[in-house]
Amino acid sequence: MRVINAKNADEAVKLAAETFIEAADARPDAPIGLATGGTMDGIYLKLKELGFRPKTQHAFALDEYEGLEPGSENSYAAELTDKFVERLGWTGTLHVPGTGHYSGETGLELLEQRLTELGPISVQLLGLGSNGHIAFNEPGSEFASTTRLVELHPATRSDNARFFPSLEDVPTHAYTQGLATISRSSCLLLVVLGERKRPALSQALTAPSPQTPLAALLDHENLTLITDQVL
Ligand code: F6R
């Protein structure tokens, strides 16, 4: 693992965007992997500022909430359409687990199949939950897991309540790429910002266990961690 200690969040976001562009442009025919959430907001803005024009025709989202109204502004599909697809004027295909062709059990298998056919992903953006989740692989997730429907941990629902009108509106379940699925990407770019994430990050690095999903990725041959936290 390559660790980049940024002096603050702004520097971390800039380094993350530059690293993402370099890795994506190095393999222009390969799909890219996108994440959502607060950490990614700044990175997607920076991609625009740096004039990034994705050359790939395919992007895969890591995860999606289950049970939202179609077109809900809280869906990750809507968020990525707004903050990545439309902002960058990109005309490729966004593949989102649990939606459209990728609905239901067979849809999730189809997503795995499409990833195998089109992949590997050149560069996968990753954030870390304050409880240590990776995508929506909550603590205790199988390291060999693939794309599936999962129940969200109460800590995840409570963290993400800030994006919804109330905690009750946060879905209880979500679709997520599995840890084994994610580990197939050529390059993993994990961005961890803020004091709030430090305990989960430090636990995964110093005491990796089935309770720290990041542990499944620590042996990846091309994992870069960019953080504003001193480890
Ligand atoms: C979402 C995802 C999640 C987030 C994590 C951190 O696609 O993959 O694992 O990266 O919940 O979210 P923020 O950045 O909002 O703290």
Side-chain angles (χ1 to χ4, degrees):
M1 175 174 56
R2 182 167 69 123
V3 180
I4 300 178
N5 266 113
K7 61 178 187 290
N8 55 39
D10 285 349
E11 187 184 75
V13 161
K14 179 165 177 285
L15 288 169
E18 288 169 351
T19 307
F20 183 83
I21 293 172
E22 192 183 329
D25 284 350
R27 301 192 52 206
D29 296 329
I32 49 178
L34 304 178
T36 33
T39 309
M40 299 301 140
D41 279 356
I43 297 175
Y44 294 140
L45 278 169
K46 188 59 79 176
L47 291 180
K48 169 75 180 171
E49 201 182 303
L50 294 173
F52 178 51
R53 308 286 300 177
K55 297 178 184 66
T56 179
Q57 281 309 300
H58 299 278
F60 284 82
L62 275 180
D63 42 19
E64 178 60 287
Y65 290 113
E66 189 256 356
L68 292 178
E69 291 294 321
S72 162
E73 60 175 18
N74 284 118
S75 73
Y76 284 169
E79 187 171 330
L80 289 173
T81 300
D82 180 27
K83 296 178 180 169
F84 186 90
V85 177
E86 290 178 355
R87 187 180 286 158
L88 299 181
W90 180 62
T91 54
T93 304
L94 179 63
H95 306 258
V96 184
T99 69
H101 296 317
Y102 303 124
S103 302
E105 190 84 2
T106 51
L108 298 179
E109 281 165 24
L110 179 64
L111 185 108
E112 286 280 334
Q113 201 182 311
R114 292 295 284 149
L115 259 173
T116 304
E117 288 160 6
L118 297 167
I121 280 176
S122 57
V123 52
Q124 174 65 61
L125 277 169
L126 296 171
L128 185 74
S130 65
N131 72 340
H133 70 222
I134 291 280
F136 278 138
N137 294 283
E138 300 285 19
S141 296
E142 293 280 339
F143 287 8
S145 53
T146 55
T147 307
R148 67 204 187 285
L149 178 65
V150 296
E151 182 171 2
L152 295 175
H153 192 281
T156 298
R157 293 189 64 240
S158 130
D159 275 356
N160 289 4
R162 68 192 196 278
F163 299 116
F164 289 81
S166 75
L167 177 60
E168 288 67 45
D169 295 302
V170 183
T172 56
H173 290 74
Y175 303 98
T176 186
Q177 288 186 31
L179 292 168
T181 315
I182 293 168
S183 70
R184 297 195 334 243
S185 298
S186 301
C187 164
L188 300 176
L189 182 54
L190 172 65
V191 188
V192 182
L193 304 180
E195 183 68 32
R196 204 169 58 88
K197 304 284 180 72
R198 198 148 70 89
L201 180 60
S202 140
Q203 197 194 350
L205 298 181
T206 59
S209 81
Q211 291 308 310
T212 60
L214 174 57
L217 307 176
L218 290 179
D219 289 335
H220 190 282
E221 60 182 14
N222 194 347
L223 166 63
T224 298
L225 163 64
I226 300 181
T227 183
D228 61 352
Q229 296 300 296
V230 177
L231 298 172

